[in-house]
Amino acid sequence: MKLEKPCRQNLLGLAFFAIFAVPSAACAAPAVVTQMYNNAHTSWNPNETRLTVANVKASFHLLFTDATDGQTYAQPLYIPHLRMGRLGTHNVIFVATENNTVYAFDADQAGSPLWSQNLTPNGETLQTSADYNNTNTRVPQIGITGTPVIDLERHAIYAIAASKTLNSPVVFHQRLHSLDLATGNELPHSPVDIQAKYPGTGGLQDGSGNVVFDPLSHFNRAALLLFDNNIYVAFGSHEDTGIYQGWVMAYNKTSLAQVAVINTSPNLPTGVSGGSVWQSSIGLVADTNSVYAITANGPFDVNTGGVDYGDTALRLTSKLGVADYFTPCNQQALNDNDIDLGSGAVMILPNQAGKLSHLATFSGKEGTIYLVNRSAMGGYTPTEVPDNVECTDNVVQELWRVLGTDPTDTSDRMDFYGAPAYFKDSSGHQYIYYSGNYAPIIAYNLDKEIMTPGTVAGGAPNQTPPSTYNFPNGGTIPSISSNGGNPATAILWAIKRAASTDGYGPLTLDAFAATDLTNQLVFDIPAGQWNYHNYAFLIPTVVNGKVYVSSGGELDVFGVNAP
């Protein structure tokens, strides 16, 4: 398998600096090898040369639809000019479903898959919500949930597939697979059963002082990460069912041997769970030296000598040691009220010109936006103020409870799920886009290590136009496409799920001018169906003049009229 005319500087996701590569007309469109385009998770493809604000507004429409065998949670991935032996050379879009099937489709025309591979072994079947006392209504069939990742050097796509044996006693499995990009065949050493243990007194025990990973209680929603020649995987829970903790593991990309593991809440009291890593399907991120994760609600005791990191943003070494962390000052209130910091995920910002050059941003269910220094994340500052009073954190900036529409004095805040997006225009203006529960998408300006709500001509807020329900149930996960920093090509894309209380129903796709969100380009164009109850954490993939949305049993492909 070979890539025809590879454009190494534009292969999104291979390196942190790749998001700032200059597009080249002499090479293929960029590959999208990881969720949100790069390991920083900026959700920005700056190499989109075909779509513009003008032509999207004038002629954007559905081009074609491909059929799949079930619901897709994962973001589609893309490889241009892939040589596939007897099948010829194709631009390929990869889709993974909850039925444990990975598809390779021609990215430019409808048709049968170039190949498909079902990863459920003979003698096994899918895990279902019945395995968790029917509490996992969001994903009633559990197969591949986390977005896969592609390694062009090894010509492999990696995915985690969940299954269970048919015969009694039922044995539950989660396996890491590496498949050949050209054929879908398993590569050497694939698959491997995901197993782990870690020193600790909580959870499932091995009798020797270790917590043991339980493939039934733990759920891989977070996308896979390729960093430092390892595949990083993270696990949360099935709707807070069973005894669970947060797990992060690293596997060598070639041998699939486990090389590192951390449990983020290993010493939980008997019968207590928490500290999981789920991040609303968003994966771990990495800069040149470190991996970052955010844990969900759970006990926190690191400030008193413990090792449990509930509601904490972690900076981890490549070997998964804790190098630094940030925990909100009101962590106890967040834990008491199920207000996960870990409903959000980290976005790493490009190096800044100011004194604090290494920044990252994130939010959680509380709707507070944090801007932190990756070189000194801030630790934990305990508070004694009431929950409806802002406490003080040691961070670069804190925008307290600005996302969503819930009152600031309620304990029932479910305001943000997912991650923001980033764009830098040709004049150096930096935009950070956040959404919230039943609220518009807001563009914040980033200047001199300060985020401020943006405005457009005339002074109006730079946010998406109000509608009857805006972006419901935790907001949406935006995606940006542009040709470099040219504002005339900069577009923000967002999937809107149904406004019903359970999120079940049709999906629509919207588009806005990224520098002026009041300029809506695409209005609720139908984009498939979400067949599960509650939140659809779906992200469109925008590349080579097309927008790909994978949902319930279909891949929808959108574009503009040919010039």
Side-chain angles (χ1 to χ4, degrees), residues 50-63 481 491-494 508-512 521-527 540-543 545-549 556-562:
R50 300 188 180 191
L51 299 175
T52 69
V53 169
N55 65 23
V56 167
K57 192 162 189 173
S59 65
F60 189 78
H61 61 285
L62 178 68
L63 300 176
S481 66
I491 301 169
L492 181 145
W493 306 87
T508 56
L509 177 66
D510 292 287
F512 308 85
L521 313 177
V522 176
F523 294 80
D524 287 355
I525 188 170
T541 297
V542 188
V543 64
K546 296 182 177 64
V547 180
Y548 300 89
V549 178
D556 288 344
V557 183
F558 301 87
V560 297
N561 293 336

Side-chain angles (χ1 to χ4, degrees), residues 220-428:
N220 169 239
R221 284 203 241 192
L224 280 61
L225 168 71
L226 172 60
F227 172 69
D228 197 29
N229 290 317
N230 294 324
I231 305 297
Y232 291 82
V233 300
F235 295 87
S237 69
H238 295 274
E239 302 306 305
D240 296 340
T241 301
I243 301 299
Y244 61 88
Q245 301 87 30
W247 291 89
V248 179
M249 307 171 201
Y251 291 83
N252 179 272
K253 71 174 187 177
T254 302
S255 68
L256 297 191
Q258 189 181 96
V259 296
V261 60
I262 184 173
N263 186 306
T264 59
S265 45
N267 284 357
L268 297 181
T270 301
V272 175
S273 298
S276 66
V277 182
W278 69 286
Q279 302 188 161
S280 297
S281 85
I282 308 301
L284 310 180
V285 297
D287 56 23
T288 54
N289 300 304
S290 304
V291 174
Y292 298 80
I294 304 183
T295 64
N297 58 294
F300 173 84
D301 60 7
V302 176
N303 62 317
T304 57
V307 290
D308 295 325
Y309 287 93
D311 297 297
T312 296
L314 293 165
R315 177 162 67 86
L316 304 170
T317 68
S318 61
K319 299 302 183 184
L320 299 182
V322 177
D324 200 358
Y325 74 93
F326 163 71
T327 306
C329 49
N330 63 340
Q331 187 278 331
Q332 188 60 58
L334 299 182
N335 182 36
D336 291 344
N337 295 290
D338 189 27
I339 307 171
D340 307 22
L341 181 68
S343 72
V346 173
M347 181 176 74
I348 295 174
L349 293 162
N351 289 346
Q352 302 292 300
K355 180 179 179 181
L356 301 177
S357 60
H358 300 144
L359 300 178
T361 184
F362 48 85
S363 185
K365 285 182 182 178
E366 187 181 37
T368 295
I369 297 176
Y370 298 96
L371 187 65
V372 303
N373 178 7
R374 303 197 314 272
S375 300
M377 294 185 67
Y380 174 59
T381 306
T383 181
E384 296 181 0
V385 301
D387 181 52
N388 63 344
V389 176
E390 182 179 5
C391 55
T392 301
D393 284 304
N394 184 24
V395 294
V396 177
Q397 186 183 12
E398 181 174 315
L399 300 174
W400 190 58
R401 299 181 182 174
V402 294
L403 301 178
T405 56
D406 289 343
T408 59
D409 61 351
T410 177
S411 62
D412 185 20
R413 296 180 296 274
M414 301 296 166
D415 285 340
F416 181 78
Y417 292 77
Y422 173 88
F423 172 64
K424 182 178 182 180
D425 69 21
S426 52
S427 67

Side-chain angles (χ1 to χ4, degrees), residues 169-198:
V170 176
V171 178
F172 292 84
H173 294 275
Q174 298 199 48
R175 297 182 177 93
L176 175 63
H177 295 257
S178 61
L179 308 178
D180 182 85
L181 285 175
T183 65
N185 294 334
E186 299 272 6
L187 290 170
H189 313 295
S190 177
V192 294
D193 250 295
I194 292 177
Q195 301 175 344
K197 61 182 180 179
Y198 193 81

